[in-house]
């Protein structure tokens, strides 16, 4: 564990313990609050995490990630019922948010509509309330319950807890983080959000008989509260892995009954944290099922729509806005001096043409095309380290990665060896080599297959595997 990661987890443990007395309905708010959002804009603090001397400011010194996991294991144990509820007649509840990413086909093929429900945060603008005051709408043709429409009266509790927090700020008036005005403002705001969500979640479970809860992450306060209240009622929960296990800050702590993961990489990673293998299941992800299905778009249509030259090979470059644009420019320049290719840019998360399409006449926008309609129609993909890299390999396409390591990076793509490069010029030269050297092309294919044997060992439909897991938990 490097200094940066060690300092982050030590600071987080300080926060958990310093504010654990802020309690509502038996839940410590510090264990629910999304800590990174409290410090996201504190650039000085993030820089300080690299400093070995930062430890002197902290009460706790975490030497291994297992320590954080153990703290949460103990916390969850205090809320769990010993015996899971066998609510066979209850609803399978899916907490929908932007990172769930289930295709509509997954719900069509693997979920019984009469036994499945969506629960989501909602907003003040929800209309069409039922007589009970709860909005009734549909998503994926499933009933939706909005938490925001449950009537609550939490004003006094919120004021009490916010005043308690303000008193604690005075106690910690010289603390390097807690004295920060922005931290205090955000934390007071989050106290109100968390209290309201706890109350609404309790009302939701009082109204709906739930047999199993699915969430896409346990890091948002909403999903964490839904999971905690479920744990208190003995309801089994599943956390669906929402993206590649790249930044460890997004995957620790593990707190659901079962984490449904992509492959053996995650199983071994969680085992190193002291997590029981019984609480991790390899299910893949339903959105990856699309990689094994034929594209609905013909190559001729794809080329014509994007204005590509049908006589040339095509590379797709996956970028994120203008991050590292200088490096992408070098990559494009390196490749184009040796090879005459079409280059398509897919910009995440927007679909408008990227700035590089204006600089290079042979660089085109992917327009509105979905990733799974693009992949079968291009020859090589170059990307920053993202989930798209895994999806590319599942779709049997060659991949090259422009490395950008976070200090909290888990090393997910390290086994791809030279297919991952920091230097865009060197990466561009390897792309050229792929098109011009048959032996190297075969080596690229071999590295991809070796990677997938660990990262995604089961190509059967993830939706079906998830369905079996749910049935096992509730029967």
């Amino acid at each position: 564990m490097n200094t940066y990661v060690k300092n982050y987890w030590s600071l987080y443990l300080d926060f958990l313990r310093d504010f654990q007395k802020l309690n509502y309905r038996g839940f410590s708010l510090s264990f629910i609050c999304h800590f990174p959002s409290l410090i996201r804009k504190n650039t000085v603090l993030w820089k300080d995490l690299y400093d070995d001397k930062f430890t002197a400011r902290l009460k706790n010194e975490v030497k291994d990630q297992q320590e954080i996991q153990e703290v949460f294991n103990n916390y969850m144990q205090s809320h769990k019922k010993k015996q899971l509820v066998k609510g066979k007649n209850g609803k399978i509840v899916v907490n929908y948010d932007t990172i769930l990413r289930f295709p509509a086909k997954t719900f069509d093929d693997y979920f019984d509509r009469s036994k499945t429900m969506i629960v989501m945060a909602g907003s003040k603008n929800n209309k069409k309330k039922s007589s009970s005051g709860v909005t009734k709408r549909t998503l994926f043709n499933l009933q939706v319950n909005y938490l925001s429409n449950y009537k609550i009266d939490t004003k006094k509790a919120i004021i009490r807890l916010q005043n308690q927090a303000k008193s604690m700020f005075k106690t910690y008036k010289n603390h390097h983080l807690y004295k920060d005005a922005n931290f205090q403002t955000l934390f007071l705001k989050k106290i109100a959000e968390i209290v309201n969500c706890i109350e609404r979640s309790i009302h939701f479970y009082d109204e709906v008989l739930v047999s199993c809860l699915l969430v896409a992450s346990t890091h948002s306060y909403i999903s964490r509260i839904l999971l905690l209240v479920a744990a208190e009622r003995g309801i089994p929960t599943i956390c669906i892995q929402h993206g590649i296990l790249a930044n460890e800050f997004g995957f620790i702590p593990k707190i659901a009954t079962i984490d449904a993961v992509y492959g053996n990489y995650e199983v071994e990673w969680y085992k190193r944290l002291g997590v029981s293998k019984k609480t991790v299941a390899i299910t893949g992800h339903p959105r990856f099922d699309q990689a094994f299905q034929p594209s609905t778009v013909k190559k001729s249509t794809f080329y014509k729509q994007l204005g590509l030259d049908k006589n040339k090979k095509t590379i797709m470059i996956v970028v994120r806005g203008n991050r590292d644009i200088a490096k992408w420019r070098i990559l494009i320049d390196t490749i184009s001096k040796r090879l005459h290719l079409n280059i398509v840019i897919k910009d995440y998360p927007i679909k408008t043409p990227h700035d590089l399409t204006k600089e290079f006449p042979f660089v085109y926008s992917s327009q509105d095309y979905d990733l799974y309609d693009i992949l079968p129609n291009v020859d090589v993909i170059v990307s920053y380290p993202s989930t798209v890299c895994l999806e590319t390999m599942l779709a049997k396409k060659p991949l090259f990665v422009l490395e950008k390591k976070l200090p909290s990076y888990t090393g997910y793509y390290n086994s791809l060896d030279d297919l991952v490069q920091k230097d865009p010029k060197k990466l561009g030269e390897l792309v050229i080599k792929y098109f011009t050297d048959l032996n190297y092309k075969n080596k690229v294919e071999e590295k991809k297959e070796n990677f997938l044997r660990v990262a995604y060992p089961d190509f059967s439909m993830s939706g079906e595997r998830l369905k079996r897991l749910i049935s096992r938990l509730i029967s």
Side-chain angles (χ1 to χ4, degrees):
M1 184 162 57
N2 62 45
T3 299
Y4 180 91
V5 173
K6 176 184 174 182
N7 284 335
Y8 176 84
W9 289 124
S10 300
L11 179 64
Y12 183 40
L13 187 53
D14 275 9
F15 171 75
L16 290 175
R17 288 174 172 166
D18 288 342
F19 291 97
Q20 67 181 347
K21 289 181 181 177
L22 287 173
N23 190 291
Y24 183 75
R25 291 269 208 155
F27 298 104
S28 289
L29 305 195
S30 62
F31 279 78
I32 294 170
C33 197
H34 182 242
F35 185 61
S37 63
L38 292 176
I39 59 174
R40 186 167 288 142
K41 294 181 180 179
N42 194 329
T43 53
V44 173
L45 178 68
W46 286 106
K47 287 178 183 176
D48 286 347
L49 294 180
Y50 290 96
D51 187 356
D52 287 324
K53 296 176 183 176
F54 187 79
T55 312
R57 301 187 193 179
L58 304 169
K59 296 177 184 176
N60 296 280
E61 185 178 354
V62 173
K63 295 180 180 178
D64 191 292
Q65 291 90 333
Q66 282 192 33
E67 294 175 46
I68 289 292
Q69 185 59 51
E70 188 177 348
V71 167
F72 269 88
N73 287 349
N74 293 335
Y75 180 73
M76 290 304 298
Q77 204 58 43
S78 69
H79 288 281
K80 280 181 182 175
K81 274 196 173 180
K82 290 181 181 178
Q83 183 66 44
L84 296 180
V85 169
K86 306 297 182 184
K88 290 184 181 181
N89 298 321
K91 296 276 189 182
I92 296 165
V93 173
V94 181
N95 174 216
Y96 180 83
D97 60 20
T98 55
I99 61 173
L100 181 69
R101 301 187 183 108
F102 276 20
K105 190 175 182 350
T106 298
F107 288 107
D108 291 340
D109 294 351
Y110 303 109
F111 287 80
D112 183 336
R113 297 196 182 285
S114 67
K115 295 179 180 178
T116 308
M117 174 187 289
I118 300 285
V119 63
M120 56 196 299
S123 71
K124 294 177 182 177
N125 299 321
N126 295 332
K127 297 176 182 177
K128 298 182 181 177
K129 292 181 183 177
S130 69
S131 57
S132 64
V134 179
T135 296
K136 303 292 183 184
R137 281 190 178 176
T138 59
L139 184 67
F140 304 110
N141 291 322
L142 295 169
Q143 179 188 336
V144 178
N145 270 29
Y146 293 99
L147 292 175
S148 61
N149 285 118
Y150 285 92
K151 291 179 180 178
I152 56 173
D153 183 12
T154 55
K155 191 173 181 180
K156 287 181 181 177
I158 289 169
I159 291 171
R160 174 180 62 79
L161 285 162
Q162 286 178 334
N163 286 337
Q164 189 180 344
K166 288 173 185 176
S167 295
M168 295 170 89
F169 294 155
K170 289 177 183 176
T171 304
Y172 301 129
K173 63 182 179 181
N174 296 318
H175 193 279
H176 58 280
L177 172 60
Y178 310 151
K179 70 180 180 182
D180 179 68
N182 193 49
F183 169 88
Q184 293 182 8
T185 301
L186 285 170
F187 191 37
L188 293 174
K189 181 184 177 186
K190 289 184 183 297
I191 286 171
E193 292 171 348
I194 290 169
V195 168
N196 288 335
C197 189
I198 290 172
E199 196 64 35
R200 285 169 173 146
S201 296
I202 289 169
H203 284 320
F204 168 73
Y205 283 107
D206 285 344
E207 180 187 275
V208 179
L209 179 63
V210 179
S211 62
C212 186
L213 171 72
L214 275 66
V215 299
S217 166
T218 58
H219 283 258
S220 86
Y221 73 91
I222 297 167
S223 60
R224 189 168 289 190
I225 290 166
L226 285 167
L227 189 145
L228 278 164
V229 180
E232 287 213 324
R233 295 175 183 228
I235 298 166
T237 56
I238 300 172
C239 179
I240 313 292
Q241 185 176 342
H242 62 277
I244 59 160
L245 207 165
N247 180 358
E248 70 174 59
F249 296 166
F251 293 90
I252 303 173
K254 178 207 171 307
I255 59 177
T257 310
I258 299 285
D259 270 44
V261 300
Y262 299 166
N264 292 312
Y265 183 90
E266 291 81 7
V267 173
E268 293 304 314
W269 190 78
Y270 277 121
K271 275 173 67 178
R272 289 196 295 274
L273 294 181
V275 169
S276 169
K277 191 176 180 180
K278 293 179 182 178
T279 66
V280 184
I282 297 175
T283 62
H285 194 287
R287 85 175 185 272
F288 300 157
D289 289 349
Q290 297 169 96
F292 312 119
Q293 294 159 357
S295 172
T296 56
V297 179
K298 290 182 180 179
K299 192 170 185 176
S300 57
T301 304
F302 179 79
Y303 269 53
K304 185 177 180 181
Q305 179 72 35
L306 266 57
L308 308 179
D309 186 334
K310 63 182 180 181
N311 298 313
K312 293 179 181 178
K313 297 284 187 181
T314 300
I315 293 175
M316 178 173 75
I317 296 176
V318 182
V319 303
R320 191 155 186 152
N322 284 331
R323 293 182 192 177
D324 297 314
I325 190 168
K327 288 187 176 182
W328 290 120
R329 191 178 287 116
I330 291 168
L331 177 92
I332 292 168
D333 197 49
T334 301
I335 295 171
S336 62
K337 282 178 179 176
R338 292 274 304 280
L339 298 174
H340 297 292
L341 302 162
N342 299 309
I343 297 179
V344 173
I345 288 192
K346 182 167 182 60
D347 187 1
Y348 178 85
I350 61 174
K351 295 182 178 180
T352 52
H354 191 269
D355 288 347
L356 290 172
T357 62
K358 299 163 189 173
E359 287 186 43
F360 299 94
F362 49 85
V363 174
Y364 304 84
S365 168
S366 63
Q367 297 179 18
D368 290 329
Y369 276 108
D370 179 79
L371 177 68
Y372 288 100
D373 287 326
I374 299 172
L375 289 174
N377 294 310
V378 297
D379 300 287
V380 166
I381 289 83
V382 186
S383 175
Y384 65 96
S386 72
T387 305
V388 171
C389 299
L390 175 60
E391 293 172 287
T392 292
M393 290 183 278
L394 291 174
K396 299 181 178 179
K397 291 292 176 176
L399 168 78
F400 294 86
V401 184
L402 183 62
E403 184 178 57
K404 182 173 178 139
K405 279 189 182 178
L406 293 166
S408 53
Y409 180 56
T410 67
Y412 186 78
Y413 288 120
N414 286 359
S415 62
L416 288 171
D417 299 326
D418 69 329
L419 302 185
V420 183
Q421 296 287 340
K422 287 181 181 177
D423 183 346
K425 190 174 190 299
K426 189 169 183 180
L427 190 65
E429 288 167 352
L430 290 176
V431 173
I432 294 165
K433 190 176 181 181
Y434 173 84
F435 283 106
T436 56
D437 184 332
L438 183 58
N439 286 332
Y440 184 67
K441 185 176 183 178
N442 290 334
K443 284 180 180 178
V444 169
E445 182 65 23
E446 186 181 343
K447 286 176 183 178
K448 180 187 70 173
E449 295 302 319
N450 289 340
F451 178 85
L452 288 176
R453 270 193 281 273
V454 176
Y456 211 88
D458 188 343
F459 283 10
S460 65
M461 292 294 101
S462 172
E464 179 61 42
R465 287 186 275 160
L466 183 59
K467 181 181 178 181
R468 290 199 300 267
L469 174 62
I470 294 168
S471 296
R472 177 167 66 83
L473 282 177
I474 65 177
S475 64

